[in-house]
Amino acid sequence: MEAAKAKSKKNLKKELQHYFGFDKFKGEQEKIIQSVLDGKDTFVIMPTGGGKSLCYQLPALLSDGVAIIVSPLIALMKNQVDLLNGVGVNAQFLNSTLTKSEMARVKKEVLAGEVKLLYVAPESLSKEENISFLSKIGISFVAIDEAHCISEWGHDFRPEYRKIKSMIGQLGTMPVIALTATATPKVQIDIQKNLQMEEADVFVSSFNRKNLYYEVRPKKETKKQL
C-alpha cells in the first residue's frame, strides 16, 4: 500500500512538471489533488497566491471527461483559459461575452472531447439550454471557485451560487471541489451545508505570508513618513 502511495505521488510530480513546469507542489496541493482524483468531495481554504487553481487544473488533466469550473469573474475565467491555452491545454469558457457562433464552436469542441476544463459563470450554468448541453458530456468533477460567494454570510454573496448544488444534481452524481481564500468558520459551515458536502475532505492552509508584516510607528512628520 505504501509503495502504491509513493508511486502515485511520484507520478503527480511528474505530471506537474510535464504540464506546468514546476518541480514541486506548494503546501497541501498534492494532498488536495489526490483527494479530487480519488473522487472525494474536497473543500479548500487557501490564501490568495497559494495555488488554488492548480488544485483543480491538474486533476482535470489527469481525469477522463471534462471538469466544469464555476467562477464568478469573467476576467478571471479569461485569464485562466489564456494561461492554460498557452501551455497547450484546451480550456474554454461559456459566458455572456461570447457571440452565438463562438458559443457554438466551444460546445462543438466540448462534445468532441477536445476540452479538459470548461469555465462557466453561475448565471450560465442556470440556463436550461446549458444544463441540457452539459448533460450530454462526461464530467469528471465540478470545481466551485470563490466558494464564499455561496454563503449569505460571505462578503461577496451572489444568489445564483445558492442554486449550484441543485443544478449539479441535474447533471448526475460527481465529486465537487470548493475553493476560497476567505471563509470564517460560519461561512465554512454555510458553504458545506449548501453544497451538501459536510463529509468532504477539508484542507485549511496557513495564511501567514512571510513577505508581509505589520509595523507600528509613532506619528511624526506625517508627510515625510508617507
Side-chain angles (χ1 to χ4, degrees), residues 80-93:
Q80 290 202 14
V81 166
D82 287 347
L83 288 173
L84 288 166
N85 291 167
V87 295
V89 174
N90 191 345
Q92 300 293 339
F93 57 76

Side-chain angles (χ1 to χ4, degrees), residues 32-33 36-37 54-64 140-141:
I32 294 166
I33 290 167
V36 177
L37 290 174
L54 186 72
C55 295
Y56 55 78
Q57 289 174 347
L58 186 57
L61 299 176
L62 302 180
S63 302
D64 293 332
S140 51
F141 61 87

Side-chain angles (χ1 to χ4, degrees), residues 109-178:
E109 289 184 17
V110 173
L111 289 170
E114 299 171 2
V115 177
K116 293 304 296 178
L117 296 97
L118 180 64
Y119 289 75
V120 298
E123 294 84 0
S124 296
L125 189 61
S126 65
K127 293 181 179 179
E128 287 187 19
E129 61 186 274
N130 287 332
I131 289 291
S132 176
F133 157 67
L134 293 173
S135 66
K136 298 175 184 176
I137 65 176
I139 299 174
S140 51
F141 61 87
V142 174
I144 302 171
D145 207 0
E146 309 294 342
H148 60 273
C149 295
I150 289 173
S151 177
E152 61 186 328
W153 309 108
H155 76 276
D156 195 22
F157 171 60
R158 284 175 65 165
E160 298 86 357
Y161 261 64
R162 301 292 283 190
K163 305 172 186 176
I164 288 175
K165 181 59 181 180
S166 63
M167 290 184 282
I168 293 174
Q170 296 179 60
L171 302 175
T173 302
M174 62 202 70
V176 173
I177 174 172

Side-chain angles (χ1 to χ4, degrees), residues 197-211:
M197 55 188 299
E198 290 92 344
E199 303 301 318
D201 286 349
V202 180
F203 298 89
V204 181
S205 300
S206 171
F207 279 69
N208 179 43
R209 304 284 288 275
K210 293 181 180 179
N211 61 321

Side-chain angles (χ1 to χ4, degrees), residues 30-51:
E30 188 171 8
K31 292 180 181 178
I32 294 166
I33 290 167
Q34 191 63 59
S35 175
V36 177
L37 290 174
D38 289 341
K40 299 177 181 178
D41 286 342
T42 309
F43 188 23
V44 178
I45 303 168
M46 186 182 290
T48 300

